[in-house]
mmCIF file of all heavy atoms in Angstrom:
data_model
loop_
_atom_site.group_PDB
_atom_site.id
_atom_site.type_symbol
_atom_site.label_atom_id
_atom_site.label_comp_id
_atom_site.label_asym_id
_atom_site.label_seq_id
_atom_site.Cartn_x
_atom_site.Cartn_y
_atom_site.Cartn_z
ATOM 1 N N LYS A 1 16.847 -43.001 3.591
ATOM 2 C CA LYS A 1 15.929 -43.085 2.374
ATOM 3 C C LYS A 1 14.491 -42.673 2.770
ATOM 4 O O LYS A 1 13.472 -43.217 2.306
ATOM 5 C CB LYS A 1 15.943 -44.580 1.939
ATOM 6 C CG LYS A 1 17.314 -45.129 1.553
ATOM 7 C CD LYS A 1 18.024 -44.233 0.648
ATOM 8 C CE LYS A 1 19.436 -44.731 0.370
ATOM 9 N NZ LYS A 1 20.253 -43.839 -0.522
ATOM 10 N N THR A 2 14.388 -41.699 3.631
ATOM 11 C CA THR A 2 13.166 -41.002 3.929
ATOM 12 C C THR A 2 13.140 -39.630 3.581
ATOM 13 O O THR A 2 14.269 -38.974 3.409
ATOM 14 C CB THR A 2 12.820 -41.201 5.543
ATOM 15 O OG1 THR A 2 13.939 -40.518 6.172
ATOM 16 C CG2 THR A 2 12.753 -42.692 5.906
ATOM 17 N N PRO A 3 11.989 -38.947 3.453
ATOM 18 C CA PRO A 3 11.950 -37.586 3.009
ATOM 19 C C PRO A 3 12.315 -36.649 4.169
ATOM 20 O O PRO A 3 11.685 -36.764 5.277
ATOM 21 C CB PRO A 3 10.573 -37.367 2.503
ATOM 22 C CG PRO A 3 9.734 -38.363 3.146
ATOM 23 C CD PRO A 3 10.658 -39.578 3.382
ATOM 24 N N LYS A 4 13.222 -35.812 4.109
ATOM 25 C CA LYS A 4 13.587 -34.768 5.156
ATOM 26 C C LYS A 4 13.314 -33.438 4.608
ATOM 27 O O LYS A 4 13.807 -33.035 3.547
ATOM 28 C CB LYS A 4 15.061 -34.906 5.535
ATOM 29 C CG LYS A 4 15.452 -33.846 6.565
ATOM 30 C CD LYS A 4 16.866 -34.029 6.957
ATOM 31 C CE LYS A 4 17.267 -32.875 7.983
ATOM 32 N NZ LYS A 4 16.396 -32.865 9.204
ATOM 33 N N GLU A 5 12.430 -32.672 5.288
ATOM 34 C CA GLU A 5 12.086 -31.321 4.869
ATOM 35 C C GLU A 5 13.257 -30.337 5.084
ATOM 36 O O GLU A 5 13.880 -30.330 6.192
ATOM 37 C CB GLU A 5 10.867 -30.870 5.616
ATOM 38 C CG GLU A 5 10.358 -29.448 5.119
ATOM 39 C CD GLU A 5 9.073 -29.042 5.769
ATOM 40 O OE1 GLU A 5 8.220 -29.872 5.895
ATOM 41 O OE2 GLU A 5 8.985 -27.816 6.180
ATOM 42 N N LEU A 6 13.504 -29.465 4.112
ATOM 43 C CA LEU A 6 14.627 -28.531 4.207
ATOM 44 C C LEU A 6 14.082 -27.136 4.315
ATOM 45 O O LEU A 6 14.735 -26.201 4.871
ATOM 46 C CB LEU A 6 15.602 -28.598 3.017
ATOM 47 C CG LEU A 6 16.279 -29.922 2.818
ATOM 48 C CD1 LEU A 6 17.041 -29.938 1.500
ATOM 49 C CD2 LEU A 6 17.138 -30.352 3.956
ATOM 50 N N LEU A 7 12.961 -26.826 3.707
ATOM 51 C CA LEU A 7 12.521 -25.471 3.565
ATOM 52 C C LEU A 7 11.013 -25.533 3.144
ATOM 53 O O LEU A 7 10.446 -26.471 2.601
ATOM 54 C CB LEU A 7 13.230 -24.783 2.423
ATOM 55 C CG LEU A 7 12.846 -23.350 2.063
ATOM 56 C CD1 LEU A 7 13.286 -22.420 3.175
ATOM 57 C CD2 LEU A 7 13.564 -22.978 0.760
ATOM 58 N N ALA A 8 10.204 -24.461 3.606
ATOM 59 C CA ALA A 8 8.834 -24.373 3.195
ATOM 60 C C ALA A 8 8.536 -22.906 2.791
ATOM 61 O O ALA A 8 8.956 -21.966 3.632
ATOM 62 C CB ALA A 8 7.875 -24.782 4.336
ATOM 63 N N LEU A 9 7.934 -22.695 1.711
ATOM 64 C CA LEU A 9 7.547 -21.369 1.235
ATOM 65 C C LEU A 9 6.061 -21.252 1.027
ATOM 66 O O LEU A 9 5.463 -22.151 0.353
ATOM 67 C CB LEU A 9 8.332 -20.994 -0.148
ATOM 68 C CG LEU A 9 9.846 -21.079 -0.061
ATOM 69 C CD1 LEU A 9 10.412 -20.702 -1.425
ATOM 70 C CD2 LEU A 9 10.325 -19.985 0.987
ATOM 71 N N ARG A 10 5.471 -20.191 1.580
ATOM 72 C CA ARG A 10 3.979 -20.099 1.521
ATOM 73 C C ARG A 10 3.443 -19.680 0.165
ATOM 74 O O ARG A 10 4.007 -18.740 -0.447
ATOM 75 C CB ARG A 10 3.465 -19.075 2.585
ATOM 76 C CG ARG A 10 2.019 -19.109 2.702
ATOM 77 C CD ARG A 10 1.586 -18.191 3.904
ATOM 78 N NE ARG A 10 0.133 -18.138 3.975
ATOM 79 C CZ ARG A 10 -0.695 -19.042 4.553
ATOM 80 N NH1 ARG A 10 -0.177 -20.109 5.137
ATOM 81 N NH2 ARG A 10 -1.983 -18.931 4.577
ATOM 82 N N LYS A 11 2.335 -20.263 -0.225
ATOM 83 C CA LYS A 11 1.702 -19.856 -1.489
ATOM 84 C C LYS A 11 1.230 -18.362 -1.392
ATOM 85 O O LYS A 11 0.794 -17.974 -0.318
ATOM 86 C CB LYS A 11 0.463 -20.766 -1.719
ATOM 87 C CG LYS A 11 -0.510 -20.288 -2.824
ATOM 88 C CD LYS A 11 0.096 -20.553 -4.130
ATOM 89 C CE LYS A 11 -0.991 -20.262 -5.282
ATOM 90 N NZ LYS A 11 -1.168 -18.769 -5.437
ATOM 91 N N ASP A 12 1.314 -17.607 -2.515
ATOM 92 C CA ASP A 12 0.795 -16.243 -2.411
ATOM 93 C C ASP A 12 -0.710 -16.247 -2.522
ATOM 94 O O ASP A 12 -1.335 -17.302 -2.498
ATOM 95 C CB ASP A 12 1.476 -15.364 -3.591
ATOM 96 C CG ASP A 12 1.133 -15.937 -5.015
ATOM 97 O OD1 ASP A 12 0.073 -16.600 -5.089
ATOM 98 O OD2 ASP A 12 1.838 -15.561 -5.923
ATOM 99 N N ARG A 13 -1.287 -15.036 -2.501
ATOM 100 C CA ARG A 13 -2.789 -14.958 -2.302
ATOM 101 C C ARG A 13 -3.530 -15.174 -3.609
ATOM 102 O O ARG A 13 -4.760 -15.263 -3.583
ATOM 103 C CB ARG A 13 -3.105 -13.608 -1.710
ATOM 104 C CG ARG A 13 -2.697 -13.439 -0.314
ATOM 105 C CD ARG A 13 -3.077 -12.092 0.318
ATOM 106 N NE ARG A 13 -2.871 -12.018 1.775
ATOM 107 C CZ ARG A 13 -3.670 -12.525 2.710
ATOM 108 N NH1 ARG A 13 -4.771 -13.007 2.314
ATOM 109 N NH2 ARG A 13 -3.352 -12.383 4.017
ATOM 110 N N LEU A 14 -2.931 -15.154 -4.708
ATOM 111 C CA LEU A 14 -3.586 -15.266 -5.968
ATOM 112 C C LEU A 14 -4.207 -16.733 -6.191
ATOM 113 O O LEU A 14 -3.577 -17.648 -5.669
ATOM 114 C CB LEU A 14 -2.701 -14.912 -7.126
ATOM 115 C CG LEU A 14 -2.199 -13.444 -7.189
ATOM 116 C CD1 LEU A 14 -1.113 -13.265 -8.152
ATOM 117 C CD2 LEU A 14 -3.303 -12.462 -7.351
ATOM 118 N N PRO A 15 -5.322 -16.818 -6.932
ATOM 119 C CA PRO A 15 -5.916 -18.130 -7.181
ATOM 120 C C PRO A 15 -4.890 -19.119 -7.753
ATOM 121 O O PRO A 15 -4.068 -18.789 -8.604
ATOM 122 C CB PRO A 15 -7.103 -17.765 -8.143
ATOM 123 C CG PRO A 15 -7.360 -16.344 -7.927
ATOM 124 C CD PRO A 15 -6.034 -15.700 -7.534
ATOM 125 N N MET A 16 -5.117 -20.354 -7.242
ATOM 126 C CA MET A 16 -4.097 -21.411 -7.605
ATOM 127 C C MET A 16 -4.041 -21.779 -9.065
ATOM 128 O O MET A 16 -2.941 -21.837 -9.642
ATOM 129 C CB MET A 16 -4.337 -22.553 -6.712
ATOM 130 C CG MET A 16 -4.089 -22.425 -5.249
ATOM 131 S SD MET A 16 -4.601 -23.889 -4.174
ATOM 132 C CE MET A 16 -6.346 -23.496 -4.034
ATOM 133 N N TRP A 17 -5.214 -22.041 -9.705
ATOM 134 C CA TRP A 17 -5.156 -22.453 -11.057
ATOM 135 C C TRP A 17 -4.835 -21.233 -11.965
ATOM 136 O O TRP A 17 -4.052 -21.376 -12.838
ATOM 137 C CB TRP A 17 -6.469 -23.185 -11.411
ATOM 138 C CG TRP A 17 -6.363 -23.682 -12.808
ATOM 139 C CD1 TRP A 17 -5.987 -24.913 -13.223
ATOM 140 C CD2 TRP A 17 -6.743 -22.961 -14.064
ATOM 141 N NE1 TRP A 17 -5.985 -25.020 -14.613
ATOM 142 C CE2 TRP A 17 -6.493 -23.864 -15.099
ATOM 143 C CE3 TRP A 17 -7.192 -21.716 -14.346
ATOM 144 C CZ2 TRP A 17 -6.688 -23.492 -16.483
ATOM 145 C CZ3 TRP A 17 -7.361 -21.349 -15.644
ATOM 146 C CH2 TRP A 17 -7.152 -22.172 -16.694
ATOM 147 N N LEU A 18 -5.621 -20.139 -11.703
ATOM 148 C CA LEU A 18 -5.485 -18.989 -12.648
ATOM 149 C C LEU A 18 -4.047 -18.478 -12.740
ATOM 150 O O LEU A 18 -3.546 -18.199 -13.791
ATOM 151 C CB LEU A 18 -6.417 -17.922 -12.230
ATOM 152 C CG LEU A 18 -7.903 -18.102 -12.582
ATOM 153 C CD1 LEU A 18 -8.659 -16.928 -12.043
ATOM 154 C CD2 LEU A 18 -8.146 -18.231 -13.989
ATOM 155 N N PHE A 19 -3.366 -18.385 -11.573
ATOM 156 C CA PHE A 19 -2.056 -17.649 -11.565
ATOM 157 C C PHE A 19 -0.948 -18.668 -11.120
ATOM 158 O O PHE A 19 0.034 -18.303 -10.630
ATOM 159 C CB PHE A 19 -2.143 -16.524 -10.599
ATOM 160 C CG PHE A 19 -2.992 -15.394 -11.168
ATOM 161 C CD1 PHE A 19 -4.288 -15.217 -10.746
ATOM 162 C CD2 PHE A 19 -2.443 -14.461 -12.094
ATOM 163 C CE1 PHE A 19 -5.097 -14.236 -11.311
ATOM 164 C CE2 PHE A 19 -3.205 -13.481 -12.599
ATOM 165 C CZ PHE A 19 -4.494 -13.364 -12.142
ATOM 166 N N GLN A 20 -1.170 -19.916 -11.486
ATOM 167 C CA GLN A 20 -0.140 -20.964 -11.252
ATOM 168 C C GLN A 20 -0.143 -21.577 -9.877
ATOM 169 O O GLN A 20 -0.358 -20.909 -8.907
ATOM 170 C CB GLN A 20 1.258 -20.523 -11.703
ATOM 171 C CG GLN A 20 1.378 -20.105 -13.172
ATOM 172 C CD GLN A 20 2.756 -19.739 -13.565
ATOM 173 O OE1 GLN A 20 3.676 -19.666 -12.784
ATOM 174 N NE2 GLN A 20 2.866 -19.401 -14.790
ATOM 175 N N PHE A 21 -0.020 -22.870 -9.861
ATOM 176 C CA PHE A 21 0.167 -23.559 -8.522
ATOM 177 C C PHE A 21 1.322 -22.996 -7.788
ATOM 178 O O PHE A 21 2.352 -22.638 -8.428
ATOM 179 C CB PHE A 21 0.329 -25.052 -8.722
ATOM 180 C CG PHE A 21 -0.875 -25.744 -9.469
ATOM 181 C CD1 PHE A 21 -0.642 -26.953 -9.953
ATOM 182 C CD2 PHE A 21 -2.057 -25.211 -9.482
ATOM 183 C CE1 PHE A 21 -1.651 -27.677 -10.602
ATOM 184 C CE2 PHE A 21 -3.108 -25.898 -10.096
ATOM 185 C CZ PHE A 21 -2.898 -27.187 -10.638
ATOM 186 N N GLY A 22 1.267 -23.054 -6.473
ATOM 187 C CA GLY A 22 2.463 -22.636 -5.707
ATOM 188 C C GLY A 22 3.456 -23.829 -5.574
ATOM 189 O O GLY A 22 3.088 -24.876 -5.092
ATOM 190 N N THR A 23 4.678 -23.581 -5.964
ATOM 191 C CA THR A 23 5.664 -24.641 -5.832
ATOM 192 C C THR A 23 7.114 -24.082 -5.922
ATOM 193 O O THR A 23 7.320 -22.904 -6.219
ATOM 194 C CB THR A 23 5.423 -25.708 -6.904
ATOM 195 O OG1 THR A 23 6.225 -26.837 -6.687
ATOM 196 C CG2 THR A 23 5.728 -25.178 -8.357
ATOM 197 N N ILE A 24 7.968 -24.933 -5.757
ATOM 198 C CA ILE A 24 9.443 -24.693 -5.955
ATOM 199 C C ILE A 24 9.888 -25.504 -7.154
ATOM 200 O O ILE A 24 9.707 -26.715 -7.216
ATOM 201 C CB ILE A 24 10.250 -25.050 -4.651
ATOM 202 C CG1 ILE A 24 9.831 -24.189 -3.478
ATOM 203 C CG2 ILE A 24 11.790 -24.972 -4.892
ATOM 204 C CD1 ILE A 24 10.298 -24.699 -2.175
ATOM 205 N N THR A 25 10.572 -24.841 -8.074
ATOM 206 C CA THR A 25 11.074 -25.525 -9.248
ATOM 207 C C THR A 25 12.646 -25.497 -9.206
ATOM 208 O O THR A 25 13.248 -24.811 -8.415
ATOM 209 C CB THR A 25 10.587 -24.851 -10.548
ATOM 210 O OG1 THR A 25 11.145 -23.627 -10.703
ATOM 211 C CG2 THR A 25 9.066 -24.755 -10.586
ATOM 212 N N PHE A 26 13.224 -26.259 -10.159
ATOM 213 C CA PHE A 26 14.685 -26.368 -10.157
ATOM 214 C C PHE A 26 15.189 -26.132 -11.566
ATOM 215 O O PHE A 26 14.717 -26.740 -12.516
ATOM 216 C CB PHE A 26 15.007 -27.835 -9.768
ATOM 217 C CG PHE A 26 14.520 -28.280 -8.435
ATOM 218 C CD1 PHE A 26 13.248 -28.754 -8.311
ATOM 219 C CD2 PHE A 26 15.273 -28.126 -7.267
ATOM 220 C CE1 PHE A 26 12.723 -29.134 -7.089
ATOM 221 C CE2 PHE A 26 14.779 -28.506 -6.057
ATOM 222 C CZ PHE A 26 13.521 -29.066 -5.987
ATOM 223 N N PRO A 27 16.110 -25.158 -11.741
ATOM 224 C CA PRO A 27 16.716 -25.043 -13.066
ATOM 225 C C PRO A 27 17.615 -26.146 -13.476
ATOM 226 O O PRO A 27 18.045 -26.856 -12.559
ATOM 227 C CB PRO A 27 17.542 -23.744 -12.891
ATOM 228 C CG PRO A 27 17.866 -23.663 -11.458
ATOM 229 C CD PRO A 27 16.709 -24.286 -10.782
ATOM 230 N N TYR A 28 17.724 -26.450 -14.730
ATOM 231 C CA TYR A 28 18.732 -27.378 -15.147
ATOM 232 C C TYR A 28 20.147 -26.897 -14.722
ATOM 233 O O TYR A 28 20.511 -25.806 -15.010
ATOM 234 C CB TYR A 28 18.718 -27.531 -16.665
ATOM 235 C CG TYR A 28 19.561 -28.607 -17.182
ATOM 236 C CD1 TYR A 28 19.055 -29.922 -17.354
ATOM 237 C CD2 TYR A 28 20.905 -28.372 -17.541
ATOM 238 C CE1 TYR A 28 19.884 -30.989 -17.876
ATOM 239 C CE2 TYR A 28 21.703 -29.433 -17.909
ATOM 240 C CZ TYR A 28 21.202 -30.715 -18.054
ATOM 241 O OH TYR A 28 22.047 -31.739 -18.492
ATOM 242 N N ASN A 29 20.869 -27.745 -14.025
ATOM 243 C CA ASN A 29 22.025 -27.240 -13.335
ATOM 244 C C ASN A 29 23.198 -28.272 -13.382
ATOM 245 O O ASN A 29 23.003 -29.432 -12.977
ATOM 246 C CB ASN A 29 21.665 -26.981 -11.866
ATOM 247 C CG ASN A 29 22.800 -26.526 -11.030
ATOM 248 O OD1 ASN A 29 23.850 -26.142 -11.539
ATOM 249 N ND2 ASN A 29 22.606 -26.502 -9.712
ATOM 250 N N THR A 30 24.301 -27.810 -14.017
ATOM 251 C CA THR A 30 25.458 -28.699 -14.099
ATOM 252 C C THR A 30 26.600 -28.327 -13.186
ATOM 253 O O THR A 30 27.653 -28.840 -13.247
ATOM 254 C CB THR A 30 26.024 -28.742 -15.545
ATOM 255 O OG1 THR A 30 26.424 -27.421 -15.882
ATOM 256 C CG2 THR A 30 24.973 -29.249 -16.492
ATOM 257 N N THR A 31 26.316 -27.387 -12.264
ATOM 258 C CA THR A 31 27.302 -26.892 -11.242
ATOM 259 C C THR A 31 27.199 -27.642 -9.967
ATOM 260 O O THR A 31 26.252 -28.541 -9.769
ATOM 261 C CB THR A 31 27.139 -25.420 -11.010
ATOM 262 O OG1 THR A 31 26.029 -25.095 -10.178
ATOM 263 C CG2 THR A 31 27.015 -24.581 -12.296
ATOM 264 N N ASN A 32 28.016 -27.293 -8.964
ATOM 265 C CA ASN A 32 27.972 -27.975 -7.638
ATOM 266 C C ASN A 32 27.028 -27.234 -6.684
ATOM 267 O O ASN A 32 26.872 -27.694 -5.552
ATOM 268 C CB ASN A 32 29.344 -28.133 -7.071
ATOM 269 C CG ASN A 32 30.262 -29.072 -7.875
ATOM 270 O OD1 ASN A 32 29.748 -30.030 -8.331
ATOM 271 N ND2 ASN A 32 31.503 -28.658 -8.046
ATOM 272 N N ASP A 33 26.455 -26.133 -7.144
ATOM 273 C CA ASP A 33 25.622 -25.281 -6.209
ATOM 274 C C ASP A 33 24.131 -25.766 -6.382
ATOM 275 O O ASP A 33 23.774 -26.465 -7.384
ATOM 276 C CB ASP A 33 25.715 -23.859 -6.589
ATOM 277 C CG ASP A 33 27.072 -23.204 -6.316
ATOM 278 O OD1 ASP A 33 27.629 -23.487 -5.190
ATOM 279 O OD2 ASP A 33 27.632 -22.526 -7.127
ATOM 280 N N ILE A 34 23.396 -25.413 -5.406
ATOM 281 C CA ILE A 34 21.921 -25.796 -5.407
ATOM 282 C C ILE A 34 21.109 -24.517 -5.543
ATOM 283 O O ILE A 34 21.247 -23.572 -4.889
ATOM 284 C CB ILE A 34 21.545 -26.473 -4.120
ATOM 285 C CG1 ILE A 34 22.351 -27.758 -3.905
ATOM 286 C CG2 ILE A 34 20.027 -26.714 -4.038
ATOM 287 C CD1 ILE A 34 22.060 -28.399 -2.613
ATOM 288 N N PHE A 35 20.233 -24.538 -6.605
ATOM 289 C CA PHE A 35 19.422 -23.399 -6.889
ATOM 290 C C PHE A 35 17.957 -23.844 -6.940
ATOM 291 O O PHE A 35 17.654 -24.970 -7.356
ATOM 292 C CB PHE A 35 19.714 -22.785 -8.256
ATOM 293 C CG PHE A 35 21.114 -22.333 -8.371
ATOM 294 C CD1 PHE A 35 22.109 -23.023 -9.071
ATOM 295 C CD2 PHE A 35 21.518 -21.071 -7.836
ATOM 296 C CE1 PHE A 35 23.352 -22.705 -9.206
ATOM 297 C CE2 PHE A 35 22.790 -20.653 -8.043
ATOM 298 C CZ PHE A 35 23.752 -21.442 -8.652
ATOM 299 N N ILE A 36 17.016 -22.947 -6.372
ATOM 300 C CA ILE A 36 15.570 -23.270 -6.444
ATOM 301 C C ILE A 36 14.976 -22.003 -6.943
ATOM 302 O O ILE A 36 15.440 -20.853 -6.744
ATOM 303 C CB ILE A 36 15.025 -23.699 -5.186
ATOM 304 C CG1 ILE A 36 15.287 -22.631 -4.068
ATOM 305 C CG2 ILE A 36 15.549 -25.026 -4.724
ATOM 306 C CD1 ILE A 36 14.609 -23.015 -2.687
#
């Protein structure tokens, strides 16, 4: 029940607010595969 890091992706060079925060999102997913 602790957070375990699996992956890290670096923010691109564009300004954070203007061109969106850097993050990983998740599609709505009803399959057994994992997508990011």
Side-chain angles (χ1 to χ4, degrees):
K1 308 305 180 185
T2 59
K4 177 176 177 58
E5 183 176 317
L6 302 177
L7 178 70
L9 299 178
R10 186 175 178 83
K11 171 73 176 74
D12 62 23
R13 290 183 173 273
L14 295 172
M16 290 173 279
W17 185 89
L18 284 178
F19 291 96
Q20 299 183 357
F21 297 163
T23 191
I24 295 167
T25 68
F26 304 85
Y28 186 91
N29 179 12
T30 62
T31 74
N32 293 321
D33 293 314
I34 298 175
F35 302 100
I36 57 175

